């Protein structure tokens, strides 16, 4: 795996190892394509870390977010039964992405249904802590925002944090799914680079559907 070059991406030109690259999906604009690599590879690698998802019950927290909206689509495409949380205004969006059970994160009792084989935590904090109770014994909890809080670890549940790594081959597979129309890329808004600070302000509110993109 290639190391992730943190930071320094807000520019017109940069050097990248060729192994990290894949062709732009032809059905996407450059702005839409820019929304893909980090979020989609994170979702892809998080699901891969959990092993087979076909026929499994998968819960994705924040299924309308950048990583979440890719994760729900990849899991559906792989044959999982997918439950996802979002705010009420995003539940129809989750349905359009193919989510079997969209749940209003403010209202739903997440522990009411059957436990899940895999829970994907894209939120952290209290969401991570409450996720243990939603995984069946022998199941898996994958966290993204922060490491597994060992104080809450439940024996019999495999839990780990996944950190995304550049992977041109996987990105190519993702691009092929996008070009086949099997995966939708949601871009909430494209902002000019000079409004990068505003983009960060919007992002920090934690309500973005899909991705924000900066256009150079
Ligand atoms: N480990 C890695 O390699 C890696 C890679 C990429 C990202 N990350 C991390 O993964 C996290 C997710 O990234 P992202 O880009 O997907 O985030 P994001 O797009 O900014 O997430 C926004 C979404 O989060 C939902 N949300 C906000 N608060 C929530 C809560 N308390 N419970 C449930 N849903 C909530 C919102 O949904 P509603 O508006 O519908 O409520 C919104 O759609 C971030 O912490 C990011 O830093 C980690």
């Amino acid at each position: 795996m290639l190391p992730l070059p943190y930071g320094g991406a807000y520019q017109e030109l940069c050097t990248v190892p060729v192994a990290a690259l894949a062709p732009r999906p032809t059905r996407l604009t450059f702005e839409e394509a820019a929304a893909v690599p980090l979020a989609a590879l994170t979702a892809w690698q998080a699901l891969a870390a959990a092993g087979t998802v076909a026929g499994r019950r998968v819960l994705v927290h924040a299924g309308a977010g950048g990583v979440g909206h890719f994760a729900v689509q990849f899991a559906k495409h792989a044959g999982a039964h997918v439950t996802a949380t979002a705010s009420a205004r995003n539940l129809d969006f989750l349905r359009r992405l193919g989510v079997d059970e969209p749940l209003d994160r403010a209202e739903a009792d997440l522990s009411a249904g059957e436990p899940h084989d895999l829970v994907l935590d894209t939120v952290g904090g209290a969401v991570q802590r409450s996720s243990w109770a939603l995984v069946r014994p022998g199941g898996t909890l994958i966290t993204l925002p922060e490491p597994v809080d060992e104080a809450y670890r439940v024996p019999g549940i495999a839990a780990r944090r996944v950190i995304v790594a550049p992977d041109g081959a996987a990105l190519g597979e993702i691009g092929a799914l996008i070009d086949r129309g099997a995966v939708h890329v949601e871009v909430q808004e494209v902002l000019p680079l000079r409004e990068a600070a505003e983009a960060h302000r919007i992002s920090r509110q934690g309500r973005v559907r899909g991705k924000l993109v900066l256009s150079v």
Side-chain angles (χ1 to χ4, degrees), residues 118-192:
L118 166 64
V119 174
L120 184 55
D121 165 33
T122 69
V123 181
V127 169
Q128 185 193 123
R129 290 192 290 279
S130 63
S131 288
W132 293 100
L134 308 176
V135 185
R136 71 162 172 78
T140 304
L141 171 61
I142 299 289
T143 71
L144 294 171
E146 54 202 31
V148 172
D149 184 342
E150 295 300 333
Y152 291 84
R153 184 177 283 277
V154 173
I157 291 177
R160 57 172 283 218
R161 184 189 195 188
V162 167
I163 302 277
V164 66
D167 181 342
L171 202 51
E173 288 184 57
I174 292 166
L177 288 177
I178 292 168
D179 267 339
R180 272 170 37 206
V183 169
H184 164 76
V185 179
E186 179 75 7
V187 174
Q188 174 172 303
E189 193 176 352
V190 179
L191 297 99

Side-chain angles (χ1 to χ4, degrees), residues 29-205:
T29 63
F30 281 100
E31 280 85 2
E32 289 167 333
V36 174
L38 181 79
L41 276 177
T42 303
W44 188 268
Q45 291 167 7
L47 292 173
T52 307
V53 297
R56 302 273 164 87
R57 292 178 58 82
V58 175
L59 168 65
V60 178
H61 285 292
V67 175
H69 89 292
F70 284 115
V72 298
Q73 294 181 87
F74 294 156
K76 270 313 290 178
H77 187 261
H81 177 279
V82 179
T83 303
T85 63
S87 297
R89 70 193 168 91
N90 279 326
L91 297 180
D92 278 341
F93 173 62
L94 292 185
R95 279 184 202 101
R96 289 199 297 277
L97 296 180
V99 170
D100 298 291
E101 292 184 58
L103 298 179
D104 181 342
R105 67 179 173 90
E107 300 284 335
D109 175 3
L110 301 186
S111 60
E114 271 180 61
H116 301 274
D117 299 293
L118 166 64
V119 174
L120 184 55
D121 165 33
T122 69
V123 181
V127 169
Q128 185 193 123
R129 290 192 290 279
S130 63
S131 288
W132 293 100
L134 308 176
V135 185
R136 71 162 172 78
T140 304
L141 171 61
I142 299 289
T143 71
L144 294 171
E146 54 202 31
V148 172
D149 184 342
E150 295 300 333
Y152 291 84
R153 184 177 283 277
V154 173
I157 291 177
R160 57 172 283 218
R161 184 189 195 188
V162 167
I163 302 277
V164 66
D167 181 342
L171 202 51
E173 288 184 57
I174 292 166
L177 288 177
I178 292 168
D179 267 339
R180 272 170 37 206
V183 169
H184 164 76
V185 179
E186 179 75 7
V187 174
Q188 174 172 303
E189 193 176 352
V190 179
L191 297 99
L193 182 58
R194 66 177 175 281
E195 291 180 22
E198 174 62 8
H200 278 271
R201 270 191 291 275
I202 297 170
S203 175
R204 266 210 300 272
Q205 290 164 8

